[in-house]
Amino acid sequence: MTRYDFSGKVAVVTGGASGIGEACARLLAEAGAKVVIADYDADLGEKVAAGIGSEGAVSFTAVDVSQPDQMERAVAKAVDDYGGLHLAVNNAGIGGPQGPTGEYPLDGWQKVIDINLSGVFYGLRYEIPAMLDSGGGSIVNMASILGSVGFAQSVAYVAAKHGVVGMTKSAALEYSNQGIRVNSIGPGFIKTPLIEESLDDEATKVVTSLHPIGRLGTSEEVASLVAFLCSDDASFCTGGYYVVDGAYTAQ
Ligand code: NAD
C-alpha cells in the first residue's frame, strides 16, 4: 500500500526491467500511474510489465537509452498509449569496467558515458517537451553516491554520475517556472542484479562496511524517495540531489 496517488499521471521509467527501476515502476503503478517501462532487455521487460499493475496500466517498450531516436520513440509511445507524460525516472545504467584511470579501457569509458550520461540527457531532451505539452511534471534522474564523491577504479561511472547531477541542476533552472521539477538522487550500494553480478562475497562485505547503517539498501528504499520526488509533497523540491545511502556520504 502506498501513500501516493498518481492516478491520471503517465510515467516513463528507463531501465525499469530490473532492480531499482523495476521497484520504481511497481510503486508508481501501485499509486495509480500508467507506466511505460523502457529497457533494452525485452524478455525481462515484457515479463515485469505484465506482472505489475492492473491490465493495460503498465506497458513495455524496447529501447537503448544511448540512442536518441529510440528514446524519442519511447516517449512518443507513452504519449500515444496513455495521452501525455507527467513523470519520468531516468534510471537505466550500467556499472562498466573497473580499472585505474591510467589504464582504463577506452571502449568501456565510451559505453558508460553513452548509457549513464548521454542516456539521461536523451531522456530529458524528449521528456521535457512532452511534459510541457502535458501541463508539467516531475523528473528524477538516477545518479549515485558516486555523483558527489569519487570511487577508485571507476572513473567512467563516477564522471557520468557527477554529470547527471550537473545536468539535473541546469534543466531545473530552465524549467522550474514552467511546471517541471527535475531532481537527481544518490543511492548508496543497493542490492540489485547490477551489484550482485559485479561484486563477489568478499567485495560485498567490504562495500557493506562502507555504509555506517551496516547493510546495503533495497530497491524499494530508493523507489520511496523517487515516489516522494514525483509527488506533490515535493512541490518545492527542484534542482536537488538527494542521497539515500545509509550515511555513506556523511563520513
Ligand atoms: P540493474 O542492472 O538491476 O538494472 C538496470 C536496468 O537498466 C536493466 O534492466 C538493464 O537492462 C537496463 N539498461 C542497461 N543499459 C540500458 C540501455 N542502454 N538502455 C536501456 N536500458 C538499459 O541495475 P540497478 O542497480 O537497478 O541500477 C539502476 C540505476 O541505479 C543505474 O543507473 C545505476 O547506476 C544506479 N545505481 C545503482 C546502485 C546500486 O548499488 N545498485 C547505486 C547507485 C546508483
Side-chain angles (χ1 to χ4, degrees):
M1 199 51 203
T2 165
R3 58 190 297 253
Y4 298 109
D5 180 7
F6 294 123
S7 24
K9 306 286 187 196
V10 180
V12 167
V13 181
T14 71
S18 171
I20 293 170
E22 177 182 349
C24 292
R26 190 178 300 279
L27 186 49
L28 295 176
E30 274 172 17
K34 301 274 196 261
V35 179
V36 174
I37 290 177
D39 199 293
Y40 72 0
D41 187 333
D43 291 345
L44 202 55
E46 295 279 10
K47 211 163 80 189
V48 166
I52 300 179
S54 53
E55 190 70 28
V58 181
S59 65
F60 171 76
T61 186
V63 63
D64 177 349
V65 296
S66 69
Q67 303 300 318
D69 55 326
Q70 294 188 26
M71 198 57 224
E72 183 177 24
R73 276 205 302 275
V75 170
K77 179 176 165 56
V79 173
D80 288 349
D81 285 2
Y82 298 128
L85 184 70
H86 314 94
L87 308 173
V89 186
N90 292 312
N91 160 82
I94 58 169
Q98 299 210 305
T101 303
E103 299 166 23
Y104 201 79
L106 298 179
D107 56 347
W109 164 269
Q110 198 55 55
K111 188 164 182 203
V112 172
I113 296 298
D114 286 348
I115 296 174
N116 292 11
L117 182 65
S118 299
V120 175
F121 166 66
Y122 300 141
L124 293 171
R125 173 66 181 78
Y126 296 108
E127 290 152 5
I128 287 170
M131 280 187 190
L132 288 172
D133 286 348
S134 307
S138 172
I139 301 176
V140 180
N141 293 327
M142 194 59 63
S144 161
I145 44 175
L146 306 185
S148 65
V149 296
F151 198 76
Q153 317 289 329
S154 300
V155 65
Y157 188 91
V158 169
K161 294 300 187 182
H162 276 68
V164 168
V165 174
M167 83 169 88
T168 300
K169 292 176 184 173
S170 285
L173 293 176
E174 293 158 359
Y175 293 99
S176 55
N177 65 356
Q178 295 177 65
I180 299 179
R181 295 183 294 103
V182 193
N183 292 288
S184 64
I185 70 170
F189 285 79
I190 308 299
K191 252 177 175 263
T192 69
L194 182 142
I195 289 303
E196 281 158 358
E197 280 155 25
S198 56
L199 301 181
D200 60 20
D201 285 355
E202 195 45 44
T204 304
K205 255 190 223 150
V206 173
V207 163
T208 302
S209 74
L210 299 173
H211 297 71
I213 203 167
R215 63 175 176 84
L216 302 186
T218 66
S219 294
E220 289 70 28
E221 288 172 316
V222 179
S224 289
L225 176 58
V226 169
F228 165 71
L229 289 169
C230 284
S231 78
D232 290 343
D233 285 3
S235 49
F236 201 54
C237 298
T238 189
Y241 164 69
Y242 300 89
V243 295
V244 46
D245 71 351
Y248 183 109
T249 50
Q251 300 170 94

